[in-house]
Amino acid sequence: MAEEFVRTIAGRDITFRPAKPAQMTAFYRVRNRQIQELEKLRGAESTTETLVAIHDLYERFEQNELNLFTSLLVNKDDMDFLDDVMVRGELTLADLVGSLFGNTEEAPDDVEPAPKQPKKAAKQGKLPKTANVRRVQK
Amino acid sequence: MSAVSRSDRLYVTGLGRLWTVDNPNALPWIHAALSPDMAGVFPGMVVDAEQELFELLMSHPEANVRCQRMARVALGRAAGREWHWAHNMIKEAVGSWTHLNGKLVREGVRASDTSLPDWLDAAWTVFMELFDKKEQMSFQNRLRSIPATGDMVQPRMSSRADLMSFAAD
């Protein structure tokens, strides 16, 4: 079984249990559905109803994040502490979730690992036959 | 041809309700079956009720274990065989993917447009043709082995015999 881990948030050490794959899968499924709904609402005519629907969607979005976060807390009284910190405006929900799952706003760039040079060729200072480099004719 | 009916949806009961699971072709099943705790199958392939399922998973003390059991049931029903046979077969196939998939594609069997039972049949025959008698026996034993981890509650209606008797009723 995966071990509990500690994160320091707003100066306090808080213990979490790792999220289960099913929990994370369910969370991302809801999130994807909400993003689809949001796209649909943004494409629709801007009326009071659509604005209210977008607002409700954001609220549900945040509520789900909070539910997931809370379910991973080992000591429930830590939530009271975090509530106080959030009420004082020192921490937002996004900060809280980001501190646990990392900031997922920007995905990392794809990186293609460079092919390794064969040892022998590298030693002799020669390029490997397969290297995609044109030799300069003297 | 497998005796299991082909449907693009299948159903599992658990956590107090009936869930609809997507059953398009073999490819998503292959990915989902190998995901941690088979979460890619359940809740990953459940078609509707995302919010309800998420809330259940946040509040129900046994939700994760029961999701895993439902994933096994769903895989068994989609494959028309014991869930662990299908799971082992998928693991074997992914372990030799380049060779196996190459052979299957040359025969016109693509995981992305073949049902899971047909794809499993096709993959099984490729392996059997590849092996000698001794290797075939060892391969069949590997397919029958039940994974050592997790709880071993046998889902209802997961075997071919169960399905056949259900269909006969």
Side-chain angles (χ1 to χ4, degrees), chain A:
Chain A
M1 197 178 170
E3 285 174 16
E4 292 171 351
F5 60 97
V6 176
R7 289 271 188 282
T8 307
I9 303 174
R12 177 169 162 139
D13 285 346
I14 295 174
T15 312
F16 296 95
R17 62 175 66 87
K20 299 275 186 199
Q23 278 180 314
M24 292 310 291
T25 307
F27 174 72
Y28 283 116
R29 286 186 70 243
V30 177
R31 193 135 121 159
N32 286 344
R33 175 58 65 99
Q34 285 171 336
I35 289 168
Q36 281 171 14
E37 278 178 46
L38 200 59
E39 296 283 314
K40 219 187 283 175
L41 286 167
R42 279 180 179 155
E45 197 185 343
S46 183
T47 61
T48 312
E49 284 79 19
T50 48
L51 291 174
V52 168
I54 287 173
H55 176 77
D56 288 350
L57 208 51
Y58 273 116
E59 276 202 338
R60 271 196 284 145
F61 197 86
E62 287 199 338
Q63 190 57 50
N64 287 342
E65 282 191 332
L66 196 59
N67 283 349
L68 178 64
F69 188 90
T70 313
S71 75
L72 304 179
L73 284 174
V74 172
N75 304 309
K76 295 294 172 194
D77 57 329
D78 283 341
M79 197 64 229
D80 296 336
F81 165 77
L82 293 171
D83 264 343
D84 287 344
V85 176
M86 281 198 285
V87 167
R88 290 203 299 271
E90 292 169 21
L91 204 66
T92 64
L93 178 62
D95 295 333
L96 208 63
V97 175
S99 65
L100 188 57
F101 299 111
N103 188 357
T104 53
E105 292 284 305
E106 193 182 330
D109 295 343
D110 285 340
V111 178
E112 190 69 33
K116 283 182 185 166
Q117 288 228 358
K119 277 184 187 167
K120 205 176 170 187
K123 245 185 206 174
Q124 293 169 343
K126 290 176 186 170
L127 288 167
K129 279 181 184 171
T130 50
N132 188 19
V133 179
R134 277 191 196 160
R135 288 167 191 274
V136 180
Q137 295 286 332
K138 285 188 181 173

Side-chain angles (χ1 to χ4, degrees), chain B residues 21-38:
Chain B
V21 177
D22 201 14
N23 184 23
N25 55 60
L27 198 56
W29 284 105
I30 294 166
H31 287 292
L34 298 180
S35 61
D37 290 353
M38 293 219 281

Side-chain angles (χ1 to χ4, degrees), chain B residues 49-63:
Chain B
E50 290 95 355
Q51 185 67 39
E52 190 185 340
L53 188 49
F54 174 70
E55 282 167 16
L56 268 170
L57 272 158
M58 294 299 117
S59 59
H60 199 291
E62 284 186 348

